[in-house]
């Protein structure tokens, strides 16, 4: 592979961006990390400055930028409900204007662009598991809509830039992902449970805990992301772990691994919270020869170790 590939990662100091940056740097490629630190942190990329081929630019993707790059990995957008609901208008702007700016850059310099989309485009799904052909069941005016609809319109922009301008796009629908470099306060279920358990607090379950999710360890996800960018596939594709667990099963596993004596505390289910979430990854298997390898328990042990060392 050409070692002189120049990569731009928007949201490069975030959870996924920092893992992707390290992986590309270890392959000998150049990485420009772009971030405004809304949810990303300097700590996530601290060790990357030792690489000669790493560069950091503090920048908000809602403002245009001129750079010469080969690949654009467009990950910039708050992705946890606490953060994307904090400033919902900014979230929608980041998804629309940020994607518009990055597509414009890709068009100008002839770069490939990968959009980090989301399983949230399926909303509260009526189809289970969710295939890429499913068009979703999304509330356009709910408290999650800024993110759900923001990512849907980002996908639309990618498809139209491809049709109208011939931009090479990759659209990756990411399902729940976890691992080191998650924020302690991001409100996602795995980080919530681990932090509460390590602090000997009650573990909070919303609703009755029967809602389901599928959890993909970050290393598996980054491998899928790179395979997709290097493929010729330009339609949406699910990348996630199809093993489905109820939230209560997850809570029990975290409790067992950290402190079996902790109690559960039940709270009201948030509005528009999906009841089921499970990817069909048939396309990823067939087209990318990709499927996740790390089991939930093994991934949780690695994640818990990281939280213990960083909390």
């Amino acid at each position: 592979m050409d070692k002189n590939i120049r990569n731009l990662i928007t949201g490069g100091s975030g959870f996924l961006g920092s893992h992707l940056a390290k992986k590309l740097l270890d392959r000998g490629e150049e990485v420009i990390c772009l971030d405004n630190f809304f949810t990303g942190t300097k700590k996530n990329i601290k060790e990357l400055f030792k690489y000669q081929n790493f560069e950091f630019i503090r920048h908000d993707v809602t403002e245009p930028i001129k750079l010469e790059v080969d690949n654009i990995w467009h990950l910039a957008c708050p992705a946890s409900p606490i953060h994307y609901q904090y400033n919902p208008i900014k979230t929608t702007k980041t998804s629309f204007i940020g994607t518009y700016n990055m597509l414009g850059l890709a068009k100008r310099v002839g770069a490939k662009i990968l959009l980090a989309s989301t399983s949230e485009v399926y909303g509260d799904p009526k189809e289970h598991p969710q295939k890429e052909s499913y068009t979703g069941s999304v509330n356009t005016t709910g408290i999650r809509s800024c993110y759900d609809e923001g990512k849907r319109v980002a996908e639309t922009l990618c498809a139209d830039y491809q049709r109208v301008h011939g931009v090479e796009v990759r659209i990756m629908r990411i399902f729940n992902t976890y691992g080191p470099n998650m924020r302690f306060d991001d409100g996602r279920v795995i980080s919530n449970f681990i932090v509460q358990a390590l602090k000997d607090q009650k573990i909070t379950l919303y609703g009755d805990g029967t809602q389901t999710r599928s959890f993909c360890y970050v290393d598996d996800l980054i491998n899928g992301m790179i395979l997709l960018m290097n493929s010729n596939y330009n339609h949406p594709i699910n990348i996630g772990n199809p093993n489905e667990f109820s939230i209560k099963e997850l809570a029990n596993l975290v409790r067992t691994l950290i402190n079996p004596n902790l109690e559960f505390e039940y709270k009201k289910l948030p509005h528009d919270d999906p009841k089921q979430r499970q990817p069909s990854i048939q396309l990823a298997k067939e087209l990318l020869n990709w499927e996740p390898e790390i089991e939930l328990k093994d991934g949780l042990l690695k994640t818990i170790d990281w939280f213990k060392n960083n909390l």
Side-chain angles (χ1 to χ4, degrees):
M1 178 169 285
D2 181 5
K3 299 291 186 192
N4 295 319
I5 291 174
R6 197 162 160 80
N7 298 281
L8 171 64
I9 305 175
T10 72
S13 73
F15 166 44
L16 296 181
S18 57
H19 283 275
L20 174 64
K22 185 170 189 315
K23 184 94 172 180
L24 295 175
L25 289 164
D26 285 341
R27 289 155 62 106
E29 299 182 23
E30 293 181 42
V31 171
I32 301 170
C33 168
L34 202 71
D35 211 302
N36 67 350
F37 294 129
F38 180 64
T39 56
T41 66
K42 288 180 182 175
K43 192 175 178 184
N44 284 346
I45 55 169
K46 188 178 172 185
E47 66 166 294
L48 303 184
F49 285 94
K50 70 185 181 191
Y51 291 87
Q52 269 192 314
N53 43 353
F54 177 74
E55 184 180 345
F56 175 76
I57 301 173
R58 187 162 189 165
H59 183 82
D60 190 318
V61 290
T62 60
E63 301 294 332
I65 190 167
K66 290 186 176 178
L67 296 164
E68 296 292 327
V69 293
D70 303 300
N71 293 333
I72 300 169
W73 311 76
H74 182 37
L75 278 56
C77 189
S80 73
I82 283 177
H83 292 136
Y84 68 63
Q85 290 168 20
Y86 173 76
N87 188 341
I89 296 166
K90 175 74 172 174
T91 297
T92 304
K93 279 179 68 179
T94 300
S95 286
F96 178 72
I97 299 172
T99 304
Y100 173 75
N101 285 335
M102 288 303 117
L103 284 162
L105 175 61
K107 180 191 166 194
R108 277 197 305 277
V109 301
K112 283 193 292 186
I113 180 168
L114 181 144
L115 170 70
S117 187
T118 172
S119 59
E120 300 295 336
V121 299
Y122 299 121
D124 191 3
K126 307 286 187 264
E127 173 180 298
H128 192 76
Q130 293 83 57
K131 296 189 190 78
E132 290 85 351
S133 56
Y134 177 56
T135 52
S137 171
V138 180
N139 178 359
T140 61
T141 58
I143 58 171
R144 300 171 71 102
S145 306
C146 57
Y147 184 65
D148 302 0
E149 293 289 33
K151 289 294 189 181
R152 284 166 70 96
V153 79
E155 288 193 11
T156 303
L157 275 173
C158 285
D160 285 335
Y161 260 79
Q162 180 178 276
R163 279 188 286 262
V164 177
H165 299 299
V167 173
E168 271 199 80
V169 303
R170 308 287 182 263
I171 300 171
M172 177 175 174
R173 290 180 179 162
I174 297 172
F175 283 69
N176 290 61
T177 308
Y178 68 100
N181 294 2
M182 293 182 86
R183 283 182 61 134
F184 309 136
D185 62 348
D186 71 2
R188 298 187 214 207
V189 65
I190 284 186
S191 53
N192 277 358
F193 288 172
I194 291 174
V195 169
Q196 287 177 329
L198 288 175
K199 290 182 173 180
D200 289 327
Q201 297 171 345
K202 291 180 181 177
I203 293 178
T204 306
L205 291 167
Y206 292 93
D208 58 6
T210 58
Q211 64 272 39
T212 66
R213 295 291 184 273
S214 308
F215 302 101
C216 186
Y217 189 68
V218 63
D219 290 358
D220 282 334
L221 185 102
I222 297 301
N223 288 339
M225 188 180 283
I226 291 170
L227 286 169
L228 177 58
M229 179 64 102
N230 293 333
S231 76
N232 295 314
Y233 193 69
N234 54 21
H235 301 286
I237 193 161
N238 293 336
I239 299 290
N241 193 316
N243 294 331
E244 188 180 15
F245 296 87
S246 75
I247 298 300
K248 194 163 187 178
E249 284 178 300
L250 172 69
N252 271 316
L253 183 52
V254 170
R255 182 168 68 172
T256 301
L257 294 174
I258 298 175
N259 182 350
N261 299 318
L262 292 177
E263 296 178 10
F264 292 150
E265 180 180 23
Y266 292 88
K267 291 188 177 179
K268 188 179 176 185
L269 194 67
H271 190 57
D272 283 342
D273 195 58
K275 309 296 183 298
Q276 289 181 305
R277 189 53 59 73
Q278 181 192 20
S280 164
I281 60 164
Q282 198 57 41
L283 267 181
K285 283 182 179 177
E286 291 171 5
L287 298 170
L288 307 178
N289 194 27
W290 177 87
E291 60 183 311
E293 297 175 357
I294 296 167
E295 295 293 334
L296 182 61
K297 183 180 177 182
D298 297 332
L300 280 176
L301 286 168
K302 294 175 191 235
T303 308
I304 290 165
D305 277 348
W306 182 84
F307 271 89
K308 277 180 181 172
N309 293 326
N310 288 275
L311 191 61

